[in-house]
Every structure is written in structure tokens, then in C-alpha cells.
Amino acid sequence: MARLNPLHALALLALLFVAGAHARTVTVGKGWFSPWSYGVASWKPPTVKTGDVLLFRWRFAAHDVWRLKDLPAYNNCTFVGGKKLTAIRTSYSYRFKVPLSAAGRTLFFACSVPSHCSVFRMKTKISISL
């Protein structure tokens, strides 16, 4: 079995530390009380990078979080082919860690409760920087 050179191990540890140090939590939506809510489509997200955590948080209402398949699904509030990230719940928060595979792409999220996406614009698209 090959041994790991101590200098290589130290360099790897430093790289992991630096990569983790830049990760941050980004609350999705507007306001402090219940940011994942109606009208979130007008929210302008900050720059988001791989490794960052998107925090979806809401209170006193039944919502969920879906990752939608693509832009047409986002535009039409179509959940087919998407991924359900949370069940419909009241007063909840969900943390989504942006995967490395998302670099340079746009991620689409929405609430599937009837009318929330299509009528009340409870959806957002977030561009992931390289």
C-alpha cells in the first residue's frame, strides 16, 4: 500500500480548508420573517458558488421546495422531471448545498402548492458562478 507524502497530505488539508472557508449560507428570498414566500421570483439573488448553501425558510404557511428540471419548467411551473426537496410543511427550513456539477449553470426552484408558483410567483432561478 502506498504511503501519502506528509507534504502532500498537508497541501490537501490546506486546500480543503480554503475551499470550505469560502462556502457561505445564502437565504433564498426577501425579508427576515419568511423569505421563501409569495413573489420571491422578483428577488435578485447574490452571486452563489458551488459549496454555498441555499437556505429556504418559511413560517406559518404550507410550502415546499422543488428543484425544477430547466428554464421551460420554471417558466411554466412544471414539476415533472424535477426533484422534490421537501414535503409540504408549515414553518420549516431546508438547506440545499450547491453541488460542484452546478458550476456555470442556473438552478431553478419553486413551490408546488397549487397556485403558489404560477399565480403567486413563488419560484426563483439562481445562477451559479464558476
Side-chain angles (χ1 to χ4, degrees):
M1 180 145 105
R3 286 181 30 135
L4 184 61
N5 180 319
L7 289 177
H8 290 146
L10 186 58
L12 180 61
L13 186 60
L15 180 63
L16 290 173
F17 176 76
V18 169
H22 294 292
R24 64 195 170 109
T25 299
V26 175
T27 299
V28 176
K30 303 178 279 186
W32 62 272
F33 185 71
S34 189
W36 179 242
S37 190
Y38 302 145
V40 74
S42 65
W43 171 68
K44 303 292 186 224
T47 300
V48 175
K49 299 178 180 179
T50 59
D52 285 350
V53 173
L54 302 176
L55 175 63
F56 295 83
R57 185 169 47 90
W58 62 94
R59 295 191 176 131
F60 308 119
H63 299 304
D64 63 5
V65 180
W66 279 70
R67 181 174 170 190
L68 303 180
K69 180 179 165 183
D70 52 23
L71 183 59
Y74 173 84
N75 289 336
N76 298 307
C77 292
T78 303
F79 294 86
V80 175
K83 182 176 181 183
K84 184 178 189 176
L85 302 177
T86 71
I88 295 174
R89 298 173 186 234
T90 304
S91 299
Y92 191 69
S93 66
Y94 174 75
R95 299 170 99 63
F96 175 83
K97 185 171 183 179
V98 178
L100 289 173
S101 61
R105 297 178 50 214
T106 300
L107 302 180
F108 305 94
F109 300 93
C111 177
S112 73
V113 173
S115 300
H116 286 198
C117 181
S118 58
V119 176
F120 298 111
R121 300 186 39 77
M122 194 169 171
K123 59 184 181 176
T124 191
K125 53 186 171 183
I126 300 173
S127 296
I128 310 303
S129 65
L130 293 173

